[in-house]
Amino acid sequence: GAGVSQSPRYKVAKRGQDVALRCDPISGHVSLFWYQQALGQGPEFLTYFQNEAQLDKSGLPSDRFFAERPEGSVSTLKIQRTQQEDSAVYLCASSLGPGTEETQYFGPGTRLLVL
Amino acid sequence: AQTVTQSQPEMSVQEAETVTLSCTYDTSENNYYLFWYKQPPSRQMILVIRQEAYKQQNATENRFSVNFQKAAKSFSLKISDSQLGDTAMYFCAFMKNTDKLIFGTGTRLQVFP
């Protein structure tokens, strides 16, 4: 595709609900990253995939956060039992992968508001 | 652990003037990459410029250039001939190998007519 796409763009959830955020990376990009951006802050790393393998999940804030990329393309970030502190913009980025172009290209983000 | 510091929360510049945004970082790595990203109010993060640490020559992209001082661990962004469309949040970011990006807290730039 032309760029990284994310859906939904906006999500309002009641506290305790589960949410699923989708990321479509640029076609052919091996690496996929998820970041969380709180209001007025820089993005913070959540997790990283190389193809379907989740190589780093050190940034996931709790076991309520789960990410997958089963076929090495589309990725889903799932948050269970959402809490108010989960409110943030969730950014997805992709890159060609190791040994090639390292630049990460970002999607428009999903703004999550937990009430 | 690597850290990235942007000490200027907000900056302003008049259209057509030049402005410099500061960034310092801390790392024990020798090979790494540095980036400046722009995030307009629409929130799409856009790459402005990148620098490989092993390259001594400062990167330039049209009106955007960097002053990379490896020994001082400094990576400032200069925007020449500022335009209204340059109004945005600017983030400095560090990456080792093909790892995750570590961002600074950002500088909000306002370009006035």
Side-chain angles (χ1 to χ4, degrees):
Chain A
V4 179
S5 60
Q6 293 186 246
S7 61
R9 292 293 309 276
Y10 303 93
K11 178 69 178 177
V12 178
K14 292 183 179 178
R15 187 161 54 94
Q17 280 185 331
D18 298 348
V19 298
L21 313 179
R22 176 187 170 106
C23 172
D24 280 87
I26 294 171
S27 179
H29 277 198
V30 168
S31 297
L32 186 147
F33 301 81
W34 283 99
Y35 295 86
Q36 180 189 60
Q37 186 176 21
L39 189 64
Q41 300 295 316
E44 293 191 354
F45 169 78
L46 293 176
T47 188
Y48 160 55
F49 290 86
Q50 191 178 116
N51 295 307
E52 68 278 5
Q54 190 175 20
L55 298 188
D56 187 349
K57 54 181 181 179
S58 62
L60 296 176
S62 77
D63 58 6
R64 297 186 296 103
F65 287 71
F66 171 77
E68 60 183 3
R69 194 185 184 197
E71 298 179 357
S73 177
V74 171
S75 177
T76 304
L77 176 67
K78 297 178 179 177
I79 309 173
Q80 297 177 323
R81 304 181 303 281
T82 53
Q83 300 180 5
Q84 287 185 324
E85 59 262 32
D86 299 335
S87 296
V89 175
Y90 290 85
L91 298 172
C92 177
S94 70
S95 68
L96 278 171
T100 58
E101 170 63 57
E102 303 81 7
T103 299
Q104 294 182 25
Y105 298 90
F106 283 81
T110 294
R111 184 187 294 271
L112 173 65
L113 178 61
V114 181
L115 302 177
Chain B
Q2 290 82 15
T3 58
V4 177
T5 301
Q6 293 180 253
S7 58
Q8 304 155 315
E10 295 184 358
M11 294 279 285
S12 62
V13 64
Q14 198 153 22
E15 202 174 6
E17 296 296 309
T18 295
V19 64
T20 299
L21 308 184
S22 301
C23 173
T24 58
Y25 58 95
D26 188 25
T27 185
S28 58
E29 302 286 334
N30 191 47
N31 295 319
Y32 50 88
Y33 302 88
L34 295 163
F35 302 84
W36 280 97
Y37 280 91
K38 168 186 177 181
Q39 191 175 42
S42 66
R43 303 203 74 87
Q44 181 96 36
M45 193 81 75
I46 303 165
L47 177 69
V48 175
I49 199 166
R50 55 173 273 164
Q51 174 82 41
E52 292 90 343
Y54 64 86
K55 290 186 177 179
Q56 293 186 341
Q57 188 173 8
N58 288 328
T60 62
E61 286 288 343
N62 301 315
R63 298 183 295 108
F64 300 88
S65 62
V66 298
N67 183 2
F68 173 47
Q69 301 289 330
K70 191 172 183 180
K73 297 179 182 175
S74 171
F75 183 62
S76 61
L77 174 69
K78 185 172 81 171
I79 306 174
S80 303
D81 186 25
S82 298
Q83 300 176 359
L84 295 178
D86 295 334
T87 293
M89 281 289 287
Y90 286 81
F91 290 98
C92 178
F94 170 98
M95 181 175 71
K96 63 172 184 175
N97 302 322
T98 52
D99 202 3
K100 57 187 173 285
L101 287 165
I102 298 171
F103 288 88
T105 51
T107 296
R108 184 179 302 278
L109 177 66
Q110 180 72 50
V111 181
F112 291 97

